[in-house]
Amino acid sequence: MEFQEHLTWNDSAGDTVNATETHSFPTESLSFKIFKLFCYSIVFLFGVVGNALVFRMVVKRRKLRTVSNMFICNLAAADIAVLTVNLPFRLAYQENSYVWPFGEVLCKTVPMLTYLFITASSATLVLMTIDQHRAIVNPLGRRFTIEITKIALPLIWIFSTLITLPFNFALTVVERQSGRPVCTDIWPSAQFERFYFLCLFVVQFVIPMAIIASCYTRICGYLNSRTTLDRLTPTKQRSDRNKKVK
């Protein structure tokens, strides 16, 4: 679709703005700006430091290099990336009245990376849940090994890059009538845009939530059945069974 004067666009924060308007954003009070900056700083500080400590402990201590901890490290890396890449630029974009001063390259990179990190986090949580499900429901079955996990983690990032790559092609810097640049996404058609973001929503949220909910439902059912079985088993029989095992 050819870009026209009255085309509306979606900024990286998801707000719809008319590209031709000289849009006057509501002014924020000084106290609110200070409070917002304080909240952003707290989230940034604790998020980066906390995730970095987790990452450092697992990498430094050989005993902690388990499959579960490798997944946790991958989540920590994605969180650090979101905090260091997305948060500063988003704050600067908001405080600059949604005028994009960072150029075409960062416009194509920063919003796309945000979606990439979210996709990687969702995929990691899915694999963690599947591994926990296997460990509890089928402890004697095949589980993820260190070698398999080392292959799975790069594949997660490759998949996340491929699924968010179309968004990179759509992002561009456009000037308003006032001459101020904005970072927006321009698609071949509105139908293609809706289809892409629907697919992204399904990949990032619907499928992961369905798998995670299904696995934990089965885990809860399994643990509940085991608890019920233990209650129905007479105390003496459990004592004799434990003695035989010993």
Side-chain angles (χ1 to χ4, degrees):
M1 181 176 63
E2 185 179 354
F3 182 74
Q4 300 174 355
E5 287 187 356
H6 297 282
L7 179 65
T8 57
W9 57 272
N10 295 323
D11 67 11
S12 59
D15 303 320
T16 301
V17 181
N18 194 305
T20 65
E21 293 178 354
T22 305
H23 196 92
S24 59
F25 293 90
T27 57
E28 298 173 347
S29 63
L30 180 60
S31 59
F32 180 79
K33 285 187 177 183
I34 293 174
F35 176 74
K36 183 172 71 172
L37 183 60
F38 174 76
C39 291
Y40 269 80
S41 301
I42 291 296
V43 171
F44 181 85
L45 180 64
F46 281 91
V48 171
V49 173
N51 284 293
L53 288 175
V54 171
F55 197 89
R56 181 177 179 275
M57 287 181 63
V58 174
V59 172
K60 188 175 181 180
R61 299 188 179 183
R62 197 175 190 86
K63 292 182 179 180
L64 295 178
R65 297 177 191 174
T66 61
V67 170
S68 297
N69 287 340
M70 289 177 69
F71 285 135
I72 292 174
C73 275
N74 202 53
L75 281 177
D79 289 344
I80 292 173
V82 169
L83 291 169
T84 55
V85 174
N86 180 57
L87 193 148
F89 286 100
R90 181 177 293 275
L91 179 61
Y93 196 31
Q94 292 174 356
E95 292 301 312
N96 201 32
S97 299
Y98 293 94
V99 175
W100 185 262
F102 304 110
E104 182 84 12
V105 175
L106 288 178
C107 173
K108 284 184 168 292
T109 304
V110 174
M112 173 241 181
L113 288 177
T114 303
Y115 288 100
L116 190 154
F117 299 144
I118 293 173
T119 306
S121 296
S122 299
T124 304
L125 287 172
V126 167
L127 292 185
M128 287 179 66
T129 303
I130 292 174
D131 186 57
Q132 292 171 358
H133 174 268
R134 289 180 176 179
I136 296 173
V137 177
N138 188 20
L140 299 180
R142 187 177 181 183
R143 295 186 57 190
F144 288 110
T145 62
I146 297 293
E147 290 72 21
I148 293 176
T149 307
K150 287 180 178 179
I151 297 173
L153 294 181
L155 290 177
I156 286 176
W157 289 97
I158 293 172
F159 169 76
S160 301
T161 302
L162 294 176
I163 203 70
T164 54
L165 203 56
F167 190 50
N168 173 269
F169 295 140
L171 288 164
T172 186
V173 175
V174 176
E175 287 190 0
R176 298 178 185 162
Q177 281 188 343
S178 60
R180 295 182 176 183
V182 293
C183 181
T184 181
D185 49 330
I186 302 175
W187 299 88
S189 66
Q191 292 79 8
F192 185 87
E193 179 183 4
R194 286 193 292 268
F195 174 76
Y196 172 73
F197 281 108
L198 177 62
C199 292
L200 196 63
F201 175 73
V202 170
V203 170
Q204 287 182 340
F205 297 103
V206 176
I207 294 176
M209 282 297 297
I211 295 174
I212 291 171
S214 175
C215 287
Y216 278 110
T217 299
R218 292 194 62 186
I219 289 173
C220 290
Y222 176 78
L223 294 177
N224 184 56
S225 64
R226 289 294 300 269
T227 303
T228 304
L229 181 63
D230 288 340
R231 287 177 181 175
L232 293 176
T233 304
T235 306
K236 188 175 184 306
Q237 289 184 8
R238 290 204 305 268
S239 177
D240 293 342
R241 184 181 60 189
N242 292 335
K243 288 179 181 179
K244 290 180 181 179
V245 171
K246 292 179 180 179

